[in-house]
Amino acid sequence: MNSSEENAVSGMSAGRSAMRMGPAELVQAAAMARRFYLEGKSKIQIAEEFGVSRFKVARVLETALERDLVRIEIRVPAELDADRSDALRARYGLRHAVVVESPAEAEESPDPENLGEVAADLLGELVDEGDVLGLAWGRSTIHMAAALDRLPPCTVVQLTGVYDAGTAERGSVEAVRRAAQVSGGDAHPIYAPMLLPDAATATALRNQTGIARAFEHFDKVTVACVSIGSWERGISTVHDMLSDEERAHYASLGVAAEMSAHLFDAEGRRVGRDLGERCITVKADQLRRIPEVVAIAGGQRKGPAIDAVLRSGLVTSLVTDTSAADYLLTAGPPPLSALNRSDPDGV
């Protein structure tokens, strides 16, 4: 068909779309729409079947939409908020942002359990066979691991010590074992507290065979899952492990958030770096080099902390809830894209 014929077809399309469709046209349009939208046939295939040009098929499909013969709906599960998810992804320059409806009965509680369930599904999408999956300590990552039901074969390594070595079997150690069991891969847990009394004790533990073996995998991690804590009692494991004097000291430095025992101010800059010398945890620079770092955190009270960590450039994706998302979408000027992985300190 030459350009003049195409123009004629275009004119006919405009004219016919303004006309009422007869029964034969309706039946044909319905049949073509079924082939295209439900059976996945191409316009060329449909044209050959009905003995018409592909331009007529395109015109009929367009008219079917205009006449409401075909309705296209974009639907996601009720618990997912697609609009907030997309807005959050764009605002922070994230690779993935998934916003879950906040449970009405738990608006003030951090990290609702349904975040872990959604994060488990997200990991099922992100992890490929042969990857090294890193899991940091946190209630949300523990919930995520418990909800896992599919994961390609991969190695699973623990990225931090535990909140309390006495609860290791019910905490991050068990989360690592659970993920490895689902994937059928090797597990590298860390049987040690996250925070030690001094740097010398932490150094000695890092050199122990089992812990050193886990640390050797840190630079190989391709997907990591972390939690975020606010600098207040009950919402940060690190905060709760410190003495009152230590909490006051770090608060004076402007701590707004904690992730994997790393402290951040409201602008995403790391503060209180001396604390890391006493901790069994992955280094911030190692996190920055991991291709995909998924943070799981929600609840209105965690909004400022999530904003701070996202501004640090250490996180590429986020699973959160509507309560936190509403705060994040209005929290000050938009930050630099998280995907440039830049360090706000410039170090």
Side-chain angles (χ1 to χ4, degrees), residues 194 196-207 276-280:
M194 181 190 296
L196 282 303
D198 52 64
T201 304
T203 299
L205 275 178
R206 292 189 199 104
N207 291 327
E277 298 174 4
R278 298 168 49 193
C279 293
I280 303 296

Side-chain angles (χ1 to χ4, degrees), residues 111 226-230 235 257-259 295-297 302 305-306 309 318:
D111 302 335
V226 300
S227 296
I228 295 173
S230 300
I235 314 186
E258 170 262 315
M259 180 182 70
I296 313 170
K302 276 198 178 180
I306 299 170
V309 172
L318 175 69

Side-chain angles (χ1 to χ4, degrees), residues 7-332:
N7 289 336
V9 168
S10 177
M12 291 172 61
S13 175
R16 291 194 178 186
S17 63
M19 297 171 57
R20 179 179 177 179
M21 295 179 72
E25 290 178 311
L26 284 170
V27 170
Q28 185 183 67
M32 289 183 175
R34 177 175 293 278
R35 304 291 194 280
F36 186 73
Y37 292 107
L38 299 183
E39 299 176 11
K41 291 187 176 181
S42 69
K43 292 175 184 176
I44 293 176
Q45 290 174 314
I46 297 171
E48 290 176 350
E49 178 182 348
F50 286 87
V52 298
S53 73
R54 62 185 176 90
F55 297 101
K56 179 174 181 179
V57 173
R59 184 176 72 245
V60 170
L61 293 174
E62 180 183 350
T63 303
L65 285 172
E66 293 175 352
R67 296 292 178 179
D68 213 21
L69 188 63
V70 173
R71 297 182 182 181
I72 298 176
E73 295 183 2
I74 300 174
R75 303 180 64 183
V76 296
E79 69 271 15
L80 298 183
D81 192 311
D83 290 340
R84 284 185 175 93
S85 297
D86 189 55
L88 202 58
R89 179 200 56 76
R91 175 177 171 80
Y92 286 91
L94 296 166
R95 185 169 291 116
H96 304 284
V98 182
V99 177
V100 182
E101 190 69 34
S102 299
E105 69 280 4
E107 289 185 358
E108 295 302 317
S109 64
D111 302 335
E113 290 191 22
N114 62 339
L115 293 186
E117 297 169 3
V118 173
D121 286 341
L122 179 60
L123 279 190
E125 292 182 57
L126 299 181
V127 176
D128 292 323
E129 183 174 350
D131 275 346
V132 177
L133 172 63
L135 300 181
W137 160 265
R139 285 179 290 265
S140 56
T141 52
I142 292 170
H143 293 155
M144 180 277 299
L148 280 172
D149 59 8
R150 63 186 176 97
L151 207 59
C154 64
T155 298
V156 186
V157 59
Q158 192 170 324
L159 296 179
T160 65
V162 299
Y163 174 46
D164 180 351
T167 64
E169 293 300 316
R170 301 189 301 276
S172 47
V173 169
E174 178 56 31
V176 169
R177 285 178 170 175
R178 167 65 182 167
Q181 180 184 36
V182 172
S183 74
D186 294 333
H188 295 277
I190 294 178
Y191 293 94
M194 181 190 296
L195 180 65
L196 282 303
D198 52 64
T201 304
T203 299
L205 275 178
R206 292 189 199 104
N207 291 327
Q208 288 188 357
T209 303
I211 297 175
R213 188 176 297 117
F215 269 59
E216 289 172 358
H217 282 81
F218 286 0
D219 287 328
K220 304 173 186 176
V221 173
T222 51
V223 180
C225 192
V226 300
S227 296
I228 295 173
S230 300
W231 198 245
E232 57 180 300
R233 188 180 301 277
I235 314 186
S236 165
T237 52
V238 173
H239 177 282
D240 292 349
M241 285 189 283
L242 296 172
S243 66
D244 290 340
E245 182 179 354
E246 290 171 323
R247 292 181 194 125
H249 165 66
Y250 290 116
S252 71
L253 300 179
V255 175
E258 170 262 315
M259 180 182 70
S260 303
H262 300 293
L263 309 181
F264 305 87
D265 69 10
E267 298 302 318
R269 296 182 293 257
R270 288 181 59 213
V271 296
R273 298 189 183 210
D274 60 302
L275 182 66
E277 298 174 4
R278 298 168 49 193
C279 293
I280 303 296
T281 185
V282 62
K283 295 179 181 178
D285 288 344
Q286 289 174 311
L287 277 173
R288 199 178 301 279
R289 291 194 294 269
I290 296 173
E292 184 74 77
V293 178
V294 181
I296 313 170
Q300 188 174 20
R301 292 169 64 187
K302 276 198 178 180
I306 299 170
D307 177 63
V309 172
L310 292 182
R311 291 173 185 273
S312 74
L314 293 176
V315 169
T316 60
S317 297
L318 175 69
V319 177
T320 190
D321 63 0
T322 51
S323 294
D326 286 342
Y327 174 87
L328 294 170
L329 290 171
T330 58

